[in-house]
Amino acid sequence: MSSMLSSALRNLPASSAWAAGALSRSLSCSSQFQATAQPKTKKTLGKTGVKNVVVVEGVRIPFLQSGTSYADLMPHDLARAALQGLVTRTSIPRDVVDYIVYGTVIQEVKTSNVAREAALGAGFSDKTPAHTVTMACISSNQAMTTGVGMIAAGQCDVVVAGGVELMSDVPIRHNRKMRKTMLTLNRAKTLGQKLSLISKIRPDYFAPELPAVAEFSTSETMGHSADRLAAAFGVSRLEQDEYALRSHTLAKKAQDEGLLQDVVPFKVPGKETVTKDNGIRPSSLEQMGKLKPAFVKPYGTVTAANSSFLTDGASAVLIMSEEKALAMGYKPKAYLRDFVYVSQDPKDQLLLSPTYATPKVLEKAGLTLGDIDVFEFHEAFAGQILANLKAMDSDWFAQNYMGRKSKVGAPPLDKFNTWGGSLSLGHPFGATGCRLVITAAHRLKKEGGQYGLVAACAAGGQGHAMIVELYPQ
């Protein structure tokens, strides 16, 4: 399938000139950086008999490159800071919250239910239930939609959802032979039995099992998959570098103009107060071009410069029924409307979920691509984003792989990730989904739009998409 996909897609109308020209135009277009309120008169997506669910507020502590200011903390410390930031910003009484759900990917063994530990640390009642979900890079998306489901079902009125990741300190295990020996040793009753077991230990038993951002089913890293995906869709190294530069440039502009309103300061114990993301670093195509391939060597196109970096961070959003929010005097930011989850082949289509999820969520909501005012897509790799845009704009791919009669079309870049994305802002695996949703809400208000579409890919060949509707101003 891979070779067939590669050869066929290289003949698609989309060429290197398409992305280079589009990215160049988007960078030179001042409307990319300036909010121009445009009145909308589109229908609302509210449904008779279905409870409206709103996001009241969303925050995140600054996303930092792993190994920097958060390096000595634990995941629940970051999640606690996000929860406290949400409480401070909204003044929500902690005892009003019915449920807390958090997403994470690389779980700390000591705090496997990080939602519960963070909630207790943030001062929430020990009577408030909390649980943790994991779904790779869409873990906080799952946390949010779990909350939406609870509210829609009438089980809760107020849910806090979020996500956290601390890549600075990930679990490193003894290998299985050593683990088995140590567990057996723990059960040994006599000195002779213990000495017998110890005598069987060999030098290779001490080799640790290091974590890797890799697929269990294929043993392939996501970077390797991204490289193959970019090659299959004919995405060049230059296109990827141009897109990554765009992401960092837009993020820097948004940061300087104070548009990243979801960021709350975090006083790191014993250290400085962190106030902004530290991975936003606009460079130049010349400098980016000097980097060597990071995964497929020596001819790959994915490098450190056009990939998202290992990131520490946490996020939190306050979700309510519309009725409860208004009764408490809150002005919601947006409705959380239709959403879908999708799954594909984790080998050849690992990162193509936005292509599959976008038309499904649009059809579910009764919208077209032209109805969407802002797009917030997760940027795992520049090659992954550009491959998805090409796939979405291909009738051939739609007909041969998606069972559709025609393509859905590619989102216009002047509406696409215009405040930066995961490549520049950072990607704490479990926390990114909340950032996408609250950014879409903020952009809708700033730019005068009504509908936002959030989409993300995840390990395992899974993905998520959601429609966000601006709350009436």
Side-chain angles (χ1 to χ4, degrees):
M1 182 257 187
S2 179
S3 59
M4 178 175 68
L5 181 63
S6 300
S7 61
L9 290 175
R10 287 196 183 95
N11 295 321
L12 289 175
S15 64
S16 296
W18 169 83
L23 293 176
S24 175
R25 287 192 297 274
S26 70
L27 285 172
S28 64
C29 180
S30 60
S31 64
Q32 189 93 339
F33 299 119
Q34 298 175 357
T36 54
Q38 299 174 355
K40 302 292 180 181
T41 56
K42 300 173 184 175
K43 64 177 182 180
T44 180
L45 296 182
K47 298 173 183 175
T48 303
V50 178
K51 187 174 292 189
N52 284 325
V53 180
V54 297
V55 57
V56 172
E57 185 60 272
V59 303
R60 61 184 177 91
I61 60 173
F63 288 175
L64 303 187
Q65 291 181 318
S66 297
T68 56
S69 295
Y70 300 156
D72 297 327
L73 302 179
M74 292 179 66
H76 74 286
D77 293 320
L78 306 189
R80 179 182 66 232
L83 289 173
Q84 290 172 331
L86 185 66
V87 169
T88 298
R89 179 166 289 187
T90 62
S91 299
I92 184 76
R94 288 175 173 84
D95 58 359
V96 170
V97 175
D98 299 312
Y99 207 97
I100 297 171
V101 56
Y102 250 71
T104 195
V105 179
I106 312 276
Q107 293 187 342
E108 163 61 49
V109 178
K110 294 181 179 179
T111 57
S112 57
N113 187 3
V114 70
R116 177 65 168 171
E117 306 306 332
L120 292 175
F124 285 87
S125 169
D126 57 11
K127 303 298 190 293
T128 303
H131 82 275
T132 301
V133 298
T134 184
M135 203 173 181
C137 299
I138 53 175
S139 293
S140 65
N141 304 71
Q142 181 59 253
M144 285 185 287
T145 57
T146 297
V148 169
M150 287 178 166
I151 294 172
Q155 297 298 310
C156 301
D157 279 318
V158 183
V159 174
V160 171
V164 62
E165 213 70 47
L166 182 70
M167 296 304 294
S168 289
D169 182 28
V170 294
I172 298 175
R173 307 195 300 178
H174 283 290
N175 64 41
R176 187 156 196 165
K177 290 183 290 186
M178 187 58 151
R179 298 201 307 272
K180 185 177 181 180
T181 300
M182 293 172 72
L183 290 171
T184 306
L185 184 63
N186 192 49
R187 295 193 297 269
K189 297 184 189 276
T190 68
L191 178 61
Q193 290 174 332
K194 292 180 180 179
L195 291 174
S196 176
L197 286 167
I198 292 173
S199 69
K200 295 177 182 179
I201 296 176
R202 297 292 179 265
D204 67 315
Y205 281 32
F206 294 96
E209 285 185 356
L210 299 175
V213 185
E215 286 293 302
F216 180 80
S217 59
T218 65
S219 298
E220 187 175 69
T221 67
M222 291 188 72
H224 196 117
S225 296
D227 226 324
R228 288 196 302 103
L229 185 68
F233 281 85
V235 181
S236 71
R237 165 73 179 270
L238 177 59
E239 288 176 295
Q240 294 175 60
D241 287 351
E242 286 178 330
Y243 184 87
L245 179 59
R246 171 189 187 267
S247 182
H248 281 273
T249 301
L250 293 173
K252 184 67 168 64
K253 186 75 172 178
Q255 187 180 69
D256 290 346
E257 294 185 355
L259 299 179
L260 306 181
Q261 306 162 46
D262 55 333
V263 178
V264 293
F266 175 28
K267 175 63 173 72
V268 180
K271 296 184 180 180
E272 77 281 9
T273 297
V274 181
T275 60
K276 62 181 181 179
D277 308 316
N278 71 357
I280 302 174
R281 297 180 179 178
S283 182
S284 67
L285 290 177
E286 181 181 9
Q287 288 298 114
M288 297 169 74
K290 294 179 181 178
L291 296 184
K292 294 182 179 180
F295 301 99
V296 179
K297 303 174 181 180
Y299 302 114
T301 56
V302 174
T303 71
N306 56 43
S307 307
S308 58
F309 47 88
L310 295 179
T311 314
D312 301 333
S315 56
V317 296
L318 178 59
I319 304 171
M320 293 186 179
S321 64
E322 181 183 21
E323 183 181 16
K324 182 69 172 182
L326 296 179
M328 292 189 67
Y330 287 111
K331 180 64 178 292
K333 289 183 179 293
Y335 294 106
L336 300 181
R337 297 302 196 187
D338 292 284
F339 61 87
V340 298
Y341 287 92
V342 295
S343 292
Q344 290 78 237
D345 172 10
K347 182 172 177 60
D348 290 320
Q349 300 191 49
L350 176 70
L351 303 172
L352 276 178
S353 295
T355 298
Y356 286 86
T358 295
K360 286 188 175 182
V361 79
L362 288 173
E363 289 166 3
K364 191 174 183 182
L367 300 175
T368 68
L369 199 70
D371 292 319
I372 303 301
D373 302 296
V374 304
F375 294 86
E376 284 292 325
F377 278 35
H378 165 43
E379 301 170 347
F381 304 88
Q384 161 255 329
I385 280 288
L386 294 175
N388 272 276
L389 295 183
K390 289 190 176 186
M392 293 172 71
D393 208 30
S394 166
D395 284 321
W396 182 90
F397 188 84
Q399 293 162 7
N400 287 275
Y401 285 92
M402 300 175 66
R404 299 177 56 84
K405 293 181 179 180
S406 61
K407 64 187 180 184
V408 63
L413 283 178
D414 62 353
K415 298 180 180 180
F416 191 87
N417 291 12
T418 57
W419 292 359
S422 303
L423 290 170
S424 49
L425 300 172
H427 174 37
F429 300 145
T432 290
C434 290
R435 178 190 67 76
L436 296 172
V437 165
I438 202 64
T439 299
H442 286 160
R443 283 185 55 204
L444 286 171
K445 182 177 180 180
K446 182 73 173 177
E447 297 167 14
Q450 183 170 349
Y451 299 133
L453 194 157
V454 170
C457 61
Q462 302 189 107
H464 170 260
M466 174 185 277
I467 300 295
V468 177
E469 181 183 345
L470 182 69
Y471 198 80
Q473 300 303 296

